[in-house]
Amino acid sequence: MSQPAAAAQPVRRQLSLDDYVAGVRAGDRAILARAITLVESRRAEHRALARDLLQAVLPFTGAAQRVGITGVPGVGKSTFIEALGGLLTGQGHKVAVLAIDPSSSRSGGSILGDKTRMETLSQNPAAFIRPSPSAGRLGGVTRMTRETMLLCEAAGYDVILVETVGAGQNETVVADMVDFFLVLMLPGAGDELQGIKKGVLELADMIAVNKCDGDNDHRAGAAVREYKSALHILNPASPTWSPPVVPCSGLTGQGLKALWEHIDRHRRLMHDSGERTARRQDQMVRWMRSMLEDGLMERFQNHPQVAHTLPDMESQVAQGTLAPSLAVDHLLATFTGQE
């Protein structure tokens, strides 16, 4: 007796530009997710459609509060963000969390487990969590984080939380795409201050000492004092704002309301001084330049003559028979056709 034929899997309908724009503007989470996948794609036909989509939704972006959240591994970023997201949705906000998963430097794969770590928030209809691989990108942010942020704003999310990998000084790149840069720290300031990078502190709009609950109370108070002293000797990034240091607990929710009030106050002050607008404009130009660099590097690597010559150049440089500077000059001349 022959086995019945397996039921054919339904083919997902291809979406047009109008479909994407209408779905994103309507806050359709499924279409928003597909739109983000589209802008993350490296396929040429997807990139062309993604560019048109981003241009179409651009007038509906820019109103959200963009907050970058970084901190050393183990500081409790996911627990903190889930608690903060719950607080904000309870206040009527729509919250998008862009959680950047570290990619393996060997395989390029990533765990993408943030929805598991934020189980309660992921089920909240007023929240949208998008885990994305960092793909080895400098600064712990995925190549298309900025585009994802714009799509979420166009979908009506008024708070965007960007959780970064927590890889050290390179994390400062996130400050180029957010309005507020929050650094999470652990109690035990003496040890923490030995390892923290000065560049991160200089860009911090606030330091939050997390896990200030239970037996950590005393250590948390000492940590707050130490970080305040550390910030005191640094020049603030803005003449309008002196970065506060606050204790909090993502586990119990302690201090989160006061923390958000600081962020909200920062927004008002930056708006009134004109710094918010200037910062956004500068970020857009930096974004363009970053994409230009990426595009040039991609075209360079895909150039047929460069691809043919590059392995030999690398071999000669590795063996010490060719100076790296001469190799670069030769490769660039090959790329520009000036040889």
Side-chain angles (χ1 to χ4, degrees), residues 295-306:
L296 286 172
M297 179 55 71
E298 184 176 0
R299 292 190 181 190
F300 174 81
Q301 292 174 331
N302 291 332
H303 190 282
Q305 289 177 283
V306 169

Side-chain angles (χ1 to χ4, degrees), residues 28-30 32-33 36 94-98 115 121-122 124-130 148 152 157:
D28 186 310
R29 293 155 67 96
L32 174 59
I36 294 171
K94 288 188 67 179
V95 178
V97 179
L98 309 184
K115 283 195 174 182
L121 190 61
S122 67
N124 189 325
F128 177 80
I129 300 176
R130 176 69 181 202
T148 302
C152 289
Y157 293 92

Side-chain angles (χ1 to χ4, degrees), residues 21-58:
V21 173
V24 168
R25 292 290 296 129
D28 186 310
R29 293 155 67 96
I31 293 182
L32 174 59
R34 290 182 65 176
I36 294 171
T37 299
L38 181 74
V39 302
E40 290 178 341
S41 174
R42 294 181 178 271
R43 293 174 58 179
E45 64 270 27
H46 290 172
R47 288 188 175 186
L49 181 56
R51 285 193 295 268
D52 291 340
L53 171 59
L54 289 166
Q55 184 63 38
V57 302
L58 194 60

Side-chain angles (χ1 to χ4, degrees), residues 69-71 100 134 136-142 146 164-177 181 183 195-201 203:
I69 301 175
T70 190
I100 313 304
S134 64
R137 181 69 176 169
L138 178 67
V141 290
T142 184
R146 290 181 175 91
T164 64
V165 172
Q169 191 169 3
N170 289 341
E171 290 289 283
T172 57
V173 73
V174 77
D176 278 338
M177 66 175 70
F181 187 47
V183 179
I196 191 170
K197 303 294 185 181
K198 181 182 177 183
V200 175
L201 280 184
L203 292 176

Side-chain angles (χ1 to χ4, degrees), residues 219-240:
R219 296 174 66 212
V224 168
R225 291 190 294 273
E226 291 288 344
Y227 291 132
K228 284 182 177 179
S229 297
L231 289 176
H232 185 69
I233 63 175
L234 299 175
N235 292 323
S238 165
T240 311

